[in-house]
Amino acid sequence: MKLFRPFNVVVDFETGNLTPGKKITRYLSDIQHFFLDKEKVKAVLAKENPLVYEVIYAEVPEEPGHLAHCTTIIYPGKVGNEFFFTKGHLHEKLETAEIYFTLKGQGRLIMASPDGEECEVLEMFPGSASYIPPSWSHRSVNVGGEPLIFYCIFFADAGHDYATIDKTGFPKVVLERNGEVVVENNPNW
Ligand code: S6P
Ligand code: ZN
C-alpha cells in the first residue's frame, strides 16, 4: 500500500495566507448576479472590479478518506447596503459536514436546507468554530471593516454544487441599516 506522506502547512492568522497553498480569487464580476441592487453593482463595475474574496487550499487528493482544508479571506466592502459574501454552495455529496474556524474579523454564516425551507445564520468571530451539518448550503458574509479570515475543514471528496445557489440564491440576506448589521428575508427568494 502506498502511504500518503504527512505534511504541514502554515497559516498566518493575520493575513490568512496558507503556505504552501493554491489560491483562487473571486472578483465582484464573478458574483454580481447575487446582489440585490443591480444598478449599484453596475455602477461599481463601471469604475472598478474589486477583489471580494480569496481561498487558499492545502493540496490534498480529492479522494475519500482525505480531509481538505483551506483559508478564506473575505475583504470588507458592500454593494449599496449589502455586505460582501462568498458565492455559497451545497456539497455535491450532501452527506458531508464542514467546520469553519474564524481567525479574524466579524461575519455571518448563512446556512439553508436544500429546499430553503430551513435557514439559520450564525455569528462568526475570532475563536468561533461553526459546524455546518450535512445537507446545509453555506455562504459567509463579512460584516466588519477588516478582512474576515476563517479556516475550513471538509471531506476532500465532498465536491461543490454552485449551480443550485446560482439559480436560487439564499433565503436570507445580510445588510447594513443605520449602522447596524441586520439579517432580512431575501425579497427575490
Ligand atoms: C469548501 C468550503 C470553503 C468555501 C470558501 C469559498 O467546502 O465551504 O472553503 O469554498 O469559503 O466559498 P465558495 O462558496 O465560493 O466556495
Ligand atoms: Zn463547503
Side-chain angles (χ1 to χ4, degrees):
M1 177 190 175
K2 188 161 185 307
L3 286 175
F4 187 81
R5 309 308 304 182
F7 70 102
N8 271 344
V9 294
V10 177
V11 175
D12 184 323
F13 287 20
E14 273 306 302
T15 63
N17 206 13
L18 181 152
T19 329
K22 201 173 155 194
K23 186 186 281 190
I24 62 157
T25 46
R26 299 275 184 235
Y27 290 86
L28 182 58
S29 57
D30 299 316
I31 58 167
Q32 54 177 302
H33 53 294
F34 290 121
F35 285 95
L36 293 176
D37 192 333
K38 308 295 177 205
E39 291 306 313
K40 283 261 161 54
V41 176
K42 251 194 243 162
V44 176
L45 287 175
K47 281 187 279 172
E48 52 167 353
N49 186 15
L51 177 61
V52 177
Y53 64 100
E54 296 172 298
V55 189
I56 310 170
Y57 293 94
E59 296 211 51
V60 170
E62 291 177 7
E63 291 168 9
H66 282 279
L67 289 174
H69 55 131
C70 64
T71 50
T72 301
I73 304 144
I74 310 179
Y75 291 98
K78 282 178 291 183
V79 172
N81 64 347
E82 191 172 13
F83 292 103
F84 278 3
F85 48 68
T86 57
K87 277 185 172 186
H89 58 271
L90 287 155
H91 292 162
E92 269 168 31
K93 291 198 171 168
L94 276 177
E95 67 277 15
T96 59
E98 177 159 12
I99 289 174
Y100 281 7
F101 185 67
T102 302
L103 304 175
K104 192 177 177 182
Q106 300 293 324
R108 296 289 183 277
L109 175 54
I110 310 172
M111 288 172 279
S113 57
D115 58 7
E117 289 293 303
E118 303 277 344
C119 187
E120 297 238 3
V121 181
L122 292 180
E123 296 202 0
M124 300 173 78
F125 50 87
S128 64
S130 306
Y131 186 62
I132 302 165
S135 298
W136 289 74
S137 59
H138 38 289
R139 164 181 284 169
S140 32
V141 186
N142 183 349
V143 299
E146 61 181 342
L148 172 68
I149 302 174
F150 54 96
Y151 173 71
C152 316
I153 308 178
F154 55 104
F155 291 93
D157 62 337
H160 293 89
D161 165 10
Y162 291 106
T164 304
I165 301 301
D166 260 340
K167 273 184 252 140
T168 63
F170 277 77
K172 303 270 183 194
V173 292
V174 184
L175 311 173
E176 185 176 69
R177 292 212 190 272
N178 305 318
E180 301 286 316
V181 176
V182 296
V183 177
E184 294 184 1
N185 289 332
N186 180 355
N188 301 330
W189 178 258

